Amino acid sequence: MRRDHERRRDARHRGRQDHRPDTRRRRQPGHPHPARRQRGTGRADPHRRADGHQRRRARADDRACVHVQPRPARFPRPRRTRTPALARRGRITGRRRSELTAVRVAIVGAGLAGLVAGRALQAAGATVQLFDKGRSPGGRLATRRIGGATVDHGAQFFTARTPAFARQVAEWQSRGLVRVWSRGFGDNDGHDRYVGTDGMNSLAKDLARGQSVSCSTMAFAVRPTGDGGWKVVLDDGAEHAADAVIVTCPLPQAFALLIDSGVDLDESVFRVDYDRTIGFLARLDGPAALPPTGGVQNGDEVFSFIGDNAHKGISTEPAVTFHASPAWSEANWHEDHDTLARLLTTAARPWLGASTIVEHQLKKWRLATPRTIWPDPCWTTAGGRIVVAGDAFAGPRVEGAHNSGLAAAHALLG
Ligand SMILES: Cc1cc2nc3c(=O)[nH]c(=O)nc-3n(C[C@H](O)[C@H](O)[C@H](O)COP(=O)(O)OP(=O)(O)OC[C@H]3O[C@@H](n4cnc5c(N)ncnc54)[C@H](O)[C@@H]3O)c2cc1C
């Protein structure tokens, strides 16, 4: 078993994408769980966000639902390793689609992993409800407008090296939703780097179509109902009952959500630190002075990635995304907004040529990249009725989040 994990981890390590370093989950004796450090009480505070701020209570009128007719999913099923909980109870397998709507699955987190899981489960006939604290689905697949410019400020591009994700990318490509940006920033390594044609968030919106997604809705806790089911407690006190729950938020947030669930939370799964990223988004009055590929990886001591959104084809106006490296972001995290803007404006200058910044925004990603990756594509507990998934499982990148979401759905479906 152990050797099997090591083989899979090594394979992932070999096939890693250059921008997002792959990492291996190792035990670090005596290292406290990040969620446990929040108040120094030894117990995570579910009212407190992982970044230390008090949770905002979502207003009812904030909430958005996406209800469109579902499209069928075309997913290969990964190798089955155990009897999935819902299948074992005969609730999904062997029944007609019309009967399957009785199975209720709640998904916390409508980033890529949650959306992929939701779509696969819905296609199988389950009744799925997603919750996300953000104003729209997508999580770290994030795109925003700055004046007339469009910028990706989370994931910048992605590769497709596994058959399951390659199929998804081919399907997106056939509908014109993704296109190839480059084959490497520096040397051409032969691997296509894809981008969302209308920005990375448009891919999340595409997956959300046909699903019921409650946005601006913070899940507060996952608790047993007492009759074998589960409920997701929302931050306004409302409760959503489900037969199974998939949690796809970053692991410190997942740990806080599940702390009252009564299930055994394996610390070796949840004890993960995340790298931070400070993003500096700049709209320019002229073209940026980046290399012909339109992107730069680890180009200097401040930035781990610089991407030209106009070159990428998502912005009609010149606009550049600068991502500060994890080390720089960590060292400068607590600087105030003006200081950060001044430091990053100075650092950005060599990449601007004759152009100047006419408008900028900062975006701080506290939980940007998991430093270690669990060897399985998702983690199940509570007799298989609670599944934890996301990019901390199948790889700290878009492809990993997709494959983990898919694995979470199939852990329930069989
Ligand atoms: C700055 C940056 C640059 C990146 N660049 C790349 C790149 O170039 N290529 C690449 O492949 N990958 C990149 N990545 C990684 C990639 O974006 C992620 O791996 C992937 O998007 C993660 O998807 P996910 O669904 O696992 O998690 P997320 O996208 O984080 O989704 C989790 C969701 O859970 C929600 N949530 C959290 N807590 C709660 C709660 N209590 N209640 C309700 N909702 C909650 C969040 O709002 C979020 O929407 C980058 C990431 C960052 C931050």
Side-chain angles (χ1 to χ4, degrees), residues 17 19-20 108-109 111-113 132-133 138-140 154-157 217-219 248-249 253 277 323 365 368 390-391 396-398 401:
Q17 181 181 344
H19 177 39
R20 314 300 302 176
V108 180
L112 184 57
D132 200 289
K133 66 187 170 80
R140 282 170 277 168
Q156 296 295 296
F157 60 86
T217 304
M218 170 91 78
T248 66
C249 35
Q253 297 167 332
T277 298
H323 279 158
W365 295 98
D391 68 341
R397 56 184 70 100
V398 171

PDB file of all heavy atoms in Angstrom, residues 17 19-20 108-109 111-113 132-133 138-140 154-157 217-219 248-249 253 277 323 365 368 390-391 396-398 401, ligand 1:
ATOM      1  N   GLN A  17       4.069  20.147 -13.471  1.00  0.00           N
ATOM      2  CA  GLN A  17       3.980  21.327 -14.324  1.00  0.00           C
ATOM      3  C   GLN A  17       4.984  22.323 -13.777  1.00  0.00           C
ATOM      4  O   GLN A  17       5.117  22.487 -12.577  1.00  0.00           O
ATOM      5  CB  GLN A  17       2.564  21.860 -14.186  1.00  0.00           C
ATOM      6  CG  GLN A  17       2.272  23.060 -14.994  1.00  0.00           C
ATOM      7  CD  GLN A  17       0.851  23.471 -14.730  1.00  0.00           C
ATOM      8  OE1 GLN A  17       0.071  22.697 -14.197  1.00  0.00           O
ATOM      9  NE2 GLN A  17       0.527  24.673 -15.085  1.00  0.00           N
ATOM     10  N   HIS A  19       5.195  25.573 -13.582  1.00  0.00           N
ATOM     11  CA  HIS A  19       4.810  26.764 -12.832  1.00  0.00           C
ATOM     12  C   HIS A  19       4.436  26.444 -11.394  1.00  0.00           C
ATOM     13  O   HIS A  19       4.757  27.184 -10.474  1.00  0.00           O
ATOM     14  CB  HIS A  19       3.649  27.440 -13.547  1.00  0.00           C
ATOM     15  CG  HIS A  19       3.125  28.634 -12.819  1.00  0.00           C
ATOM     16  ND1 HIS A  19       3.948  29.527 -12.180  1.00  0.00           N
ATOM     17  CD2 HIS A  19       1.864  29.068 -12.651  1.00  0.00           C
ATOM     18  CE1 HIS A  19       3.196  30.482 -11.643  1.00  0.00           C
ATOM     19  NE2 HIS A  19       1.940  30.214 -11.907  1.00  0.00           N
ATOM     20  N   ARG A  20       3.699  25.354 -11.185  1.00  0.00           N
ATOM     21  CA  ARG A  20       3.257  25.015  -9.843  1.00  0.00           C
ATOM     22  C   ARG A  20       4.065  23.830  -9.362  1.00  0.00           C
ATOM     23  O   ARG A  20       3.859  22.717  -9.807  1.00  0.00           O
ATOM     24  CB  ARG A  20       1.774  24.637  -9.809  1.00  0.00           C
ATOM     25  CG  ARG A  20       0.884  25.575 -10.571  1.00  0.00           C
ATOM     26  CD  ARG A  20       0.912  26.965 -10.095  1.00  0.00           C
ATOM     27  NE  ARG A  20       0.539  27.089  -8.687  1.00  0.00           N
ATOM     28  CZ  ARG A  20       0.574  28.262  -8.044  1.00  0.00           C
ATOM     29  NH1 ARG A  20       0.987  29.338  -8.643  1.00  0.00           N
ATOM     30  NH2 ARG A  20       0.214  28.323  -6.803  1.00  0.00           N
ATOM     31  N   VAL A 108     -19.525  21.652  -0.521  1.00  0.00           N
ATOM     32  CA  VAL A 108     -19.033  22.938  -0.026  1.00  0.00           C
ATOM     33  C   VAL A 108     -17.827  23.326  -0.867  1.00  0.00           C
ATOM     34  O   VAL A 108     -16.833  22.604  -0.913  1.00  0.00           O
ATOM     35  CB  VAL A 108     -18.647  22.858   1.464  1.00  0.00           C
ATOM     36  CG1 VAL A 108     -18.133  24.219   1.934  1.00  0.00           C
ATOM     37  CG2 VAL A 108     -19.832  22.406   2.300  1.00  0.00           C
ATOM     38  N   GLY A 109     -17.935  24.461  -1.546  1.00  0.00           N
ATOM     39  CA  GLY A 109     -16.857  24.937  -2.406  1.00  0.00           C
ATOM     40  C   GLY A 109     -17.220  24.721  -3.863  1.00  0.00           C
ATOM     41  O   GLY A 109     -17.335  23.584  -4.321  1.00  0.00           O
ATOM     42  N   GLY A 111     -15.348  25.816  -6.393  1.00  0.00           N
ATOM     43  CA  GLY A 111     -14.174  25.966  -7.242  1.00  0.00           C
ATOM     44  C   GLY A 111     -14.210  24.823  -8.254  1.00  0.00           C
ATOM     45  O   GLY A 111     -15.222  24.116  -8.385  1.00  0.00           O
ATOM     46  N   LEU A 112     -13.108  24.625  -8.940  1.00  0.00           N
ATOM     47  CA  LEU A 112     -13.116  23.619 -10.003  1.00  0.00           C
ATOM     48  C   LEU A 112     -13.451  22.228  -9.461  1.00  0.00           C
ATOM     49  O   LEU A 112     -14.262  21.500 -10.053  1.00  0.00           O
ATOM     50  CB  LEU A 112     -11.751  23.612 -10.709  1.00  0.00           C
ATOM     51  CG  LEU A 112     -11.635  22.681 -11.904  1.00  0.00           C
ATOM     52  CD1 LEU A 112     -12.686  23.006 -12.953  1.00  0.00           C
ATOM     53  CD2 LEU A 112     -10.240  22.776 -12.504  1.00  0.00           C
ATOM     54  N   ALA A 113     -12.852  21.838  -8.332  1.00  0.00           N
ATOM     55  CA  ALA A 113     -13.085  20.490  -7.807  1.00  0.00           C
ATOM     56  C   ALA A 113     -14.564  20.281  -7.484  1.00  0.00           C
ATOM     57  O   ALA A 113     -15.161  19.264  -7.856  1.00  0.00           O
ATOM     58  CB  ALA A 113     -12.225  20.255  -6.566  1.00  0.00           C
ATOM     59  N   ASP A 132     -20.953  28.224  -1.990  1.00  0.00           N
ATOM     60  CA  ASP A 132     -19.642  28.884  -2.053  1.00  0.00           C
ATOM     61  C   ASP A 132     -19.729  30.248  -1.399  1.00  0.00           C
ATOM     62  O   ASP A 132     -20.698  30.978  -1.585  1.00  0.00           O
ATOM     63  CB  ASP A 132     -19.150  29.029  -3.498  1.00  0.00           C
ATOM     64  CG  ASP A 132     -17.648  29.239  -3.539  1.00  0.00           C
ATOM     65  OD1 ASP A 132     -17.180  30.334  -3.148  1.00  0.00           O
ATOM     66  OD2 ASP A 132     -16.931  28.296  -3.921  1.00  0.00           O
ATOM     67  N   LYS A 133     -18.697  30.573  -0.650  1.00  0.00           N
ATOM     68  CA  LYS A 133     -18.710  31.866   0.041  1.00  0.00           C
ATOM     69  C   LYS A 133     -18.399  33.015  -0.904  1.00  0.00           C
ATOM     70  O   LYS A 133     -18.677  34.168  -0.597  1.00  0.00           O
ATOM     71  CB  LYS A 133     -17.730  31.856   1.205  1.00  0.00           C
ATOM     72  CG  LYS A 133     -16.263  31.738   0.836  1.00  0.00           C
ATOM     73  CD  LYS A 133     -15.435  31.562   2.092  1.00  0.00           C
ATOM     74  CE  LYS A 133     -13.998  31.201   1.805  1.00  0.00           C
ATOM     75  NZ  LYS A 133     -13.143  32.301   1.426  1.00  0.00           N
ATOM     76  N   GLY A 138     -15.953  29.495  -8.874  1.00  0.00           N
ATOM     77  CA  GLY A 138     -14.634  29.502  -9.521  1.00  0.00           C
ATOM     78  C   GLY A 138     -13.472  29.416  -8.559  1.00  0.00           C
ATOM     79  O   GLY A 138     -12.443  28.854  -8.897  1.00  0.00           O
ATOM     80  N   GLY A 139     -13.607  30.004  -7.362  1.00  0.00           N
ATOM     81  CA  GLY A 139     -12.496  29.971  -6.408  1.00  0.00           C
ATOM     82  C   GLY A 139     -11.235  30.562  -7.011  1.00  0.00           C
ATOM     83  O   GLY A 139     -11.222  31.719  -7.456  1.00  0.00           O
ATOM     84  N   ARG A 140     -10.197  29.744  -7.100  1.00  0.00           N
ATOM     85  CA  ARG A 140      -8.914  30.237  -7.603  1.00  0.00           C
ATOM     86  C   ARG A 140      -8.855  30.297  -9.133  1.00  0.00           C
ATOM     87  O   ARG A 140      -7.839  30.698  -9.693  1.00  0.00           O
ATOM     88  CB  ARG A 140      -7.777  29.377  -7.036  1.00  0.00           C
ATOM     89  CG  ARG A 140      -7.449  29.741  -5.593  1.00  0.00           C
ATOM     90  CD  ARG A 140      -6.513  28.751  -4.956  1.00  0.00           C
ATOM     91  NE  ARG A 140      -7.230  27.587  -4.442  1.00  0.00           N
ATOM     92  CZ  ARG A 140      -6.654  26.462  -4.044  1.00  0.00           C
ATOM     93  NH1 ARG A 140      -5.352  26.345  -4.123  1.00  0.00           N
ATOM     94  NH2 ARG A 140      -7.379  25.458  -3.571  1.00  0.00           N
ATOM     95  N   GLY A 154      -5.999  34.563 -10.538  1.00  0.00           N
ATOM     96  CA  GLY A 154      -5.643  33.306  -9.873  1.00  0.00           C
ATOM     97  C   GLY A 154      -4.812  32.494 -10.850  1.00  0.00           C
ATOM     98  O   GLY A 154      -3.772  32.962 -11.317  1.00  0.00           O
ATOM     99  N   ALA A 155      -5.299  31.288 -11.162  1.00  0.00           N
ATOM    100  CA  ALA A 155      -4.562  30.438 -12.111  1.00  0.00           C
ATOM    101  C   ALA A 155      -4.364  31.177 -13.431  1.00  0.00           C
ATOM    102  O   ALA A 155      -5.267  31.856 -13.921  1.00  0.00           O
ATOM    103  CB  ALA A 155      -5.331  29.145 -12.339  1.00  0.00           C
ATOM    104  N   GLN A 156      -3.170  31.024 -14.007  1.00  0.00           N
ATOM    105  CA  GLN A 156      -2.813  31.753 -15.223  1.00  0.00           C
ATOM    106  C   GLN A 156      -2.987  30.929 -16.487  1.00  0.00           C
ATOM    107  O   GLN A 156      -3.246  31.458 -17.554  1.00  0.00           O
ATOM    108  CB  GLN A 156      -1.355  32.206 -15.126  1.00  0.00           C
ATOM    109  CG  GLN A 156      -1.125  33.197 -13.993  1.00  0.00           C
ATOM    110  CD  GLN A 156      -1.879  34.487 -14.239  1.00  0.00           C
ATOM    111  OE1 GLN A 156      -1.609  35.201 -15.192  1.00  0.00           O
ATOM    112  NE2 GLN A 156      -2.868  34.774 -13.401  1.00  0.00           N
ATOM    113  N   PHE A 157      -2.789  29.635 -16.369  1.00  0.00           N
ATOM    114  CA  PHE A 157      -2.877  28.731 -17.528  1.00  0.00           C
ATOM    115  C   PHE A 157      -2.896  27.327 -16.962  1.00  0.00           C
ATOM    116  O   PHE A 157      -2.756  27.135 -15.746  1.00  0.00           O
ATOM    117  CB  PHE A 157      -1.664  28.918 -18.467  1.00  0.00           C
ATOM    118  CG  PHE A 157      -0.359  28.629 -17.791  1.00  0.00           C
ATOM    119  CD1 PHE A 157       0.138  27.334 -17.722  1.00  0.00           C
ATOM    120  CD2 PHE A 157       0.371  29.646 -17.191  1.00  0.00           C
ATOM    121  CE1 PHE A 157       1.339  27.063 -17.077  1.00  0.00           C
ATOM    122  CE2 PHE A 157       1.571  29.379 -16.544  1.00  0.00           C
ATOM    123  CZ  PHE A 157       2.049  28.085 -16.483  1.00  0.00           C
ATOM    124  N   THR A 217     -22.506  32.285   0.141  1.00  0.00           N
ATOM    125  CA  THR A 217     -23.061  31.448   1.202  1.00  0.00           C
ATOM    126  C   THR A 217     -21.926  30.683   1.869  1.00  0.00           C
ATOM    127  O   THR A 217     -21.382  29.743   1.292  1.00  0.00           O
ATOM    128  CB  THR A 217     -24.091  30.454   0.618  1.00  0.00           C
ATOM    129  OG1 THR A 217     -25.091  31.200  -0.080  1.00  0.00           O
ATOM    130  CG2 THR A 217     -24.755  29.647   1.715  1.00  0.00           C
ATOM    131  N   MET A 218     -21.586  31.117   3.049  1.00  0.00           N
ATOM    132  CA  MET A 218     -20.502  30.477   3.792  1.00  0.00           C
ATOM    133  C   MET A 218     -21.044  29.270   4.552  1.00  0.00           C
ATOM    134  O   MET A 218     -22.012  29.390   5.302  1.00  0.00           O
ATOM    135  CB  MET A 218     -19.928  31.495   4.777  1.00  0.00           C
ATOM    136  CG  MET A 218     -18.965  30.930   5.780  1.00  0.00           C
ATOM    137  SD  MET A 218     -17.284  30.986   5.224  1.00  0.00           S
ATOM    138  CE  MET A 218     -16.882  32.693   5.516  1.00  0.00           C
ATOM    139  N   ALA A 219     -20.449  28.111   4.331  1.00  0.00           N
ATOM    140  CA  ALA A 219     -20.796  26.953   5.159  1.00  0.00           C
ATOM    141  C   ALA A 219     -20.030  27.090   6.470  1.00  0.00           C
ATOM    142  O   ALA A 219     -18.858  27.465   6.489  1.00  0.00           O
ATOM    143  CB  ALA A 219     -20.428  25.668   4.448  1.00  0.00           C
ATOM    144  N   THR A 248     -14.665  20.756  -0.603  1.00  0.00           N
ATOM    145  CA  THR A 248     -13.563  20.991  -1.553  1.00  0.00           C
ATOM    146  C   THR A 248     -12.785  22.262  -1.247  1.00  0.00           C
ATOM    147  O   THR A 248     -11.986  22.695  -2.061  1.00  0.00           O
ATOM    148  CB  THR A 248     -14.085  21.082  -3.005  1.00  0.00           C
ATOM    149  OG1 THR A 248     -14.901  22.251  -3.138  1.00  0.00           O
ATOM    150  CG2 THR A 248     -14.864  19.851  -3.402  1.00  0.00           C
ATOM    151  N   CYS A 249     -13.023  22.870  -0.091  1.00  0.00           N
ATOM    152  CA  CYS A 249     -12.256  24.092   0.184  1.00  0.00           C
ATOM    153  C   CYS A 249     -10.838  23.725   0.630  1.00  0.00           C
ATOM    154  O   CYS A 249     -10.577  22.575   0.972  1.00  0.00           O
ATOM    155  CB  CYS A 249     -12.961  24.972   1.202  1.00  0.00           C
ATOM    156  SG  CYS A 249     -13.843  24.138   2.472  1.00  0.00           S
ATOM    157  N   GLN A 253      -9.604  25.239   5.909  1.00  0.00           N
ATOM    158  CA  GLN A 253     -11.027  25.574   5.954  1.00  0.00           C
ATOM    159  C   GLN A 253     -11.868  24.299   6.063  1.00  0.00           C
ATOM    160  O   GLN A 253     -12.869  24.264   6.780  1.00  0.00           O
ATOM    161  CB  GLN A 253     -11.416  26.366   4.698  1.00  0.00           C
ATOM    162  CG  GLN A 253     -10.702  27.704   4.607  1.00  0.00           C
ATOM    163  CD  GLN A 253     -10.834  28.360   3.237  1.00  0.00           C
ATOM    164  OE1 GLN A 253     -10.994  27.694   2.226  1.00  0.00           O
ATOM    165  NE2 GLN A 253     -10.739  29.680   3.213  1.00  0.00           N
ATOM    166  N   THR A 277       0.291  33.969  -2.048  1.00  0.00           N
ATOM    167  CA  THR A 277       0.654  34.711  -3.263  1.00  0.00           C
ATOM    168  C   THR A 277       0.036  36.096  -3.188  1.00  0.00           C
ATOM    169  O   THR A 277      -1.161  36.229  -2.925  1.00  0.00           O
ATOM    170  CB  THR A 277       0.128  34.009  -4.535  1.00  0.00           C
ATOM    171  OG1 THR A 277       0.732  32.724  -4.638  1.00  0.00           O
ATOM    172  CG2 THR A 277       0.466  34.815  -5.790  1.00  0.00           C
ATOM    173  N   HIS A 323       2.515  37.911 -10.226  1.00  0.00           N
ATOM    174  CA  HIS A 323       2.370  37.121  -9.004  1.00  0.00           C
ATOM    175  C   HIS A 323       3.697  37.107  -8.259  1.00  0.00           C
ATOM    176  O   HIS A 323       4.708  36.612  -8.778  1.00  0.00           O
ATOM    177  CB  HIS A 323       1.942  35.682  -9.328  1.00  0.00           C
ATOM    178  CG  HIS A 323       0.467  35.565  -9.572  1.00  0.00           C
ATOM    179  ND1 HIS A 323      -0.103  34.538 -10.278  1.00  0.00           N
ATOM    180  CD2 HIS A 323      -0.564  36.359  -9.176  1.00  0.00           C
ATOM    181  CE1 HIS A 323      -1.418  34.705 -10.316  1.00  0.00           C
ATOM    182  NE2 HIS A 323      -1.715  35.803  -9.658  1.00  0.00           N
ATOM    183  N   TRP A 365      -3.733  36.082  -1.950  1.00  0.00           N
ATOM    184  CA  TRP A 365      -4.215  34.705  -1.831  1.00  0.00           C
ATOM    185  C   TRP A 365      -3.528  34.083  -0.615  1.00  0.00           C
ATOM    186  O   TRP A 365      -2.358  33.711  -0.699  1.00  0.00           O
ATOM    187  CB  TRP A 365      -3.875  33.886  -3.075  1.00  0.00           C
ATOM    188  CG  TRP A 365      -4.548  34.331  -4.343  1.00  0.00           C
ATOM    189  CD1 TRP A 365      -4.015  35.117  -5.318  1.00  0.00           C
ATOM    190  CD2 TRP A 365      -5.871  33.996  -4.779  1.00  0.00           C
ATOM    191  NE1 TRP A 365      -4.922  35.297  -6.336  1.00  0.00           N
ATOM    192  CE2 TRP A 365      -6.073  34.618  -6.031  1.00  0.00           C
ATOM    193  CE3 TRP A 365      -6.910  33.228  -4.240  1.00  0.00           C
ATOM    194  CZ2 TRP A 365      -7.259  34.496  -6.747  1.00  0.00           C
ATOM    195  CZ3 TRP A 365      -8.086  33.107  -4.952  1.00  0.00           C
ATOM    196  CH2 TRP A 365      -8.253  33.732  -6.187  1.00  0.00           C
ATOM    197  N   ALA A 368      -2.920  29.933  -1.285  1.00  0.00           N
ATOM    198  CA  ALA A 368      -2.739  29.864  -2.745  1.00  0.00           C
ATOM    199  C   ALA A 368      -2.388  28.457  -3.205  1.00  0.00           C
ATOM    200  O   ALA A 368      -2.993  27.921  -4.133  1.00  0.00           O
ATOM    201  CB  ALA A 368      -1.661  30.845  -3.182  1.00  0.00           C
ATOM    202  N   GLY A 390     -10.053  18.374  -3.649  1.00  0.00           N
ATOM    203  CA  GLY A 390      -9.473  19.671  -4.011  1.00  0.00           C
ATOM    204  C   GLY A 390      -8.032  19.482  -4.444  1.00  0.00           C
ATOM    205  O   GLY A 390      -7.527  18.358  -4.517  1.00  0.00           O
ATOM    206  N   ASP A 391      -7.372  20.596  -4.722  1.00  0.00           N
ATOM    207  CA  ASP A 391      -6.045  20.486  -5.317  1.00  0.00           C
ATOM    208  C   ASP A 391      -4.974  20.030  -4.336  1.00  0.00           C
ATOM    209  O   ASP A 391      -3.843  19.783  -4.756  1.00  0.00           O
ATOM    210  CB  ASP A 391      -5.640  21.801  -6.005  1.00  0.00           C
ATOM    211  CG  ASP A 391      -5.399  22.932  -5.028  1.00  0.00           C
ATOM    212  OD1 ASP A 391      -5.872  22.859  -3.879  1.00  0.00           O
ATOM    213  OD2 ASP A 391      -4.722  23.907  -5.428  1.00  0.00           O
ATOM    214  N   PRO A 396      -1.361  20.475  -7.021  1.00  0.00           N
ATOM    215  CA  PRO A 396      -1.686  21.875  -6.710  1.00  0.00           C
ATOM    216  C   PRO A 396      -1.884  22.721  -7.954  1.00  0.00           C
ATOM    217  O   PRO A 396      -1.188  23.714  -8.167  1.00  0.00           O
ATOM    218  CB  PRO A 396      -0.455  22.325  -5.919  1.00  0.00           C
ATOM    219  CG  PRO A 396       0.664  21.528  -6.508  1.00  0.00           C
ATOM    220  CD  PRO A 396       0.074  20.202  -6.907  1.00  0.00           C
ATOM    221  N   ARG A 397      -2.789  22.306  -8.781  1.00  0.00           N
ATOM    222  CA  ARG A 397      -2.991  23.027 -10.036  1.00  0.00           C
ATOM    223  C   ARG A 397      -4.373  22.714 -10.582  1.00  0.00           C
ATOM    224  O   ARG A 397      -5.101  21.889 -10.020  1.00  0.00           O
ATOM    225  CB  ARG A 397      -1.918  22.633 -11.044  1.00  0.00           C
ATOM    226  CG  ARG A 397      -1.840  21.154 -11.326  1.00  0.00           C
ATOM    227  CD  ARG A 397      -0.690  20.859 -12.267  1.00  0.00           C
ATOM    228  NE  ARG A 397       0.566  21.071 -11.599  1.00  0.00           N
ATOM    229  CZ  ARG A 397       1.322  20.095 -11.090  1.00  0.00           C
ATOM    230  NH1 ARG A 397       0.931  18.847 -11.198  1.00  0.00           N
ATOM    231  NH2 ARG A 397       2.448  20.364 -10.490  1.00  0.00           N
ATOM    232  N   VAL A 398      -4.712  23.357 -11.664  1.00  0.00           N
ATOM    233  CA  VAL A 398      -6.043  23.219 -12.253  1.00  0.00           C
ATOM    234  C   VAL A 398      -6.348  21.748 -12.546  1.00  0.00           C
ATOM    235  O   VAL A 398      -7.416  21.225 -12.195  1.00  0.00           O
ATOM    236  CB  VAL A 398      -6.127  24.079 -13.540  1.00  0.00           C
ATOM    237  CG1 VAL A 398      -7.396  23.794 -14.309  1.00  0.00           C
ATOM    238  CG2 VAL A 398      -6.019  25.564 -13.183  1.00  0.00           C
ATOM    239  N   ALA A 401      -7.099  19.790  -9.367  1.00  0.00           N
ATOM    240  CA  ALA A 401      -8.418  20.088  -8.799  1.00  0.00           C
ATOM    241  C   ALA A 401      -9.505  19.373  -9.596  1.00  0.00           C
ATOM    242  O   ALA A 401     -10.440  18.794  -9.029  1.00  0.00           O
ATOM    243  CB  ALA A 401      -8.651  21.596  -8.802  1.00  0.00           C
TER     244      ALA A 401
HETATM  245  C1  LIG B   1      -2.227  32.944  -7.538  1.00  0.00           C
HETATM  246  C2  LIG B   1      -2.472  31.566  -8.079  1.00  0.00           C
HETATM  247  C3  LIG B   1      -1.924  31.189  -9.293  1.00  0.00           C
HETATM  248  C4  LIG B   1      -2.150  29.920  -9.800  1.00  0.00           C
HETATM  249  N1  LIG B   1      -1.637  29.591 -11.015  1.00  0.00           N
HETATM  250  C5  LIG B   1      -1.914  28.388 -11.551  1.00  0.00           C
HETATM  251  C6  LIG B   1      -1.494  28.077 -12.873  1.00  0.00           C
HETATM  252  O1  LIG B   1      -0.907  28.901 -13.576  1.00  0.00           O
HETATM  253  N2  LIG B   1      -1.779  26.834 -13.355  1.00  0.00           N
HETATM  254  C7  LIG B   1      -2.469  25.913 -12.623  1.00  0.00           C
HETATM  255  O2  LIG B   1      -2.722  24.815 -13.127  1.00  0.00           O
HETATM  256  N3  LIG B   1      -2.903  26.199 -11.374  1.00  0.00           N
HETATM  257  C8  LIG B   1      -2.650  27.409 -10.827  1.00  0.00           C
HETATM  258  N4  LIG B   1      -3.104  27.720  -9.583  1.00  0.00           N
HETATM  259  C9  LIG B   1      -3.781  26.682  -8.798  1.00  0.00           C
HETATM  260  C10 LIG B   1      -5.238  26.481  -9.209  1.00  0.00           C
HETATM  261  O3  LIG B   1      -5.873  27.719  -9.314  1.00  0.00           O
HETATM  262  C11 LIG B   1      -5.898  25.637  -8.124  1.00  0.00           C
HETATM  263  O4  LIG B   1      -5.163  24.439  -7.980  1.00  0.00           O
HETATM  264  C12 LIG B   1      -7.346  25.254  -8.410  1.00  0.00           C
HETATM  265  O5  LIG B   1      -8.061  26.317  -8.978  1.00  0.00           O
HETATM  266  C13 LIG B   1      -7.960  24.814  -7.086  1.00  0.00           C
HETATM  267  O6  LIG B   1      -9.312  24.454  -7.259  1.00  0.00           O
HETATM  268  P1  LIG B   1     -10.120  23.863  -6.013  1.00  0.00           P
HETATM  269  O7  LIG B   1     -11.501  23.624  -6.466  1.00  0.00           O
HETATM  270  O8  LIG B   1      -9.361  22.723  -5.426  1.00  0.00           O
HETATM  271  O9  LIG B   1     -10.072  24.991  -4.891  1.00  0.00           O
HETATM  272  P2  LIG B   1     -10.659  26.469  -4.928  1.00  0.00           P
HETATM  273  O10 LIG B   1     -10.628  27.024  -6.287  1.00  0.00           O
HETATM  274  O11 LIG B   1      -9.938  27.211  -3.854  1.00  0.00           O
HETATM  275  O12 LIG B   1     -12.183  26.273  -4.514  1.00  0.00           O
HETATM  276  C14 LIG B   1     -12.572  26.173  -3.179  1.00  0.00           C
HETATM  277  C15 LIG B   1     -13.834  26.989  -3.005  1.00  0.00           C
HETATM  278  O13 LIG B   1     -14.305  26.805  -1.664  1.00  0.00           O
HETATM  279  C16 LIG B   1     -14.915  28.007  -1.267  1.00  0.00           C
HETATM  280  N5  LIG B   1     -14.997  27.968   0.195  1.00  0.00           N
HETATM  281  C17 LIG B   1     -13.986  27.909   1.092  1.00  0.00           C
HETATM  282  N6  LIG B   1     -14.469  27.832   2.339  1.00  0.00           N
HETATM  283  C18 LIG B   1     -15.820  27.845   2.223  1.00  0.00           C
HETATM  284  C19 LIG B   1     -16.893  27.792   3.162  1.00  0.00           C
HETATM  285  N7  LIG B   1     -16.673  27.696   4.477  1.00  0.00           N
HETATM  286  N8  LIG B   1     -18.153  27.841   2.698  1.00  0.00           N
HETATM  287  C20 LIG B   1     -18.410  27.942   1.369  1.00  0.00           C
HETATM  288  N9  LIG B   1     -17.432  27.992   0.439  1.00  0.00           N
HETATM  289  C21 LIG B   1     -16.159  27.938   0.863  1.00  0.00           C
HETATM  290  C22 LIG B   1     -14.014  29.092  -1.836  1.00  0.00           C
HETATM  291  O14 LIG B   1     -14.708  30.316  -1.975  1.00  0.00           O
HETATM  292  C23 LIG B   1     -13.614  28.490  -3.175  1.00  0.00           C
HETATM  293  O15 LIG B   1     -14.442  28.955  -4.222  1.00  0.00           O
HETATM  294  C24 LIG B   1      -2.924  28.991  -9.061  1.00  0.00           C
HETATM  295  C25 LIG B   1      -3.490  29.374  -7.847  1.00  0.00           C
HETATM  296  C26 LIG B   1      -3.276  30.653  -7.363  1.00  0.00           C
HETATM  297  C27 LIG B   1      -3.919  31.077  -6.072  1.00  0.00           C
END
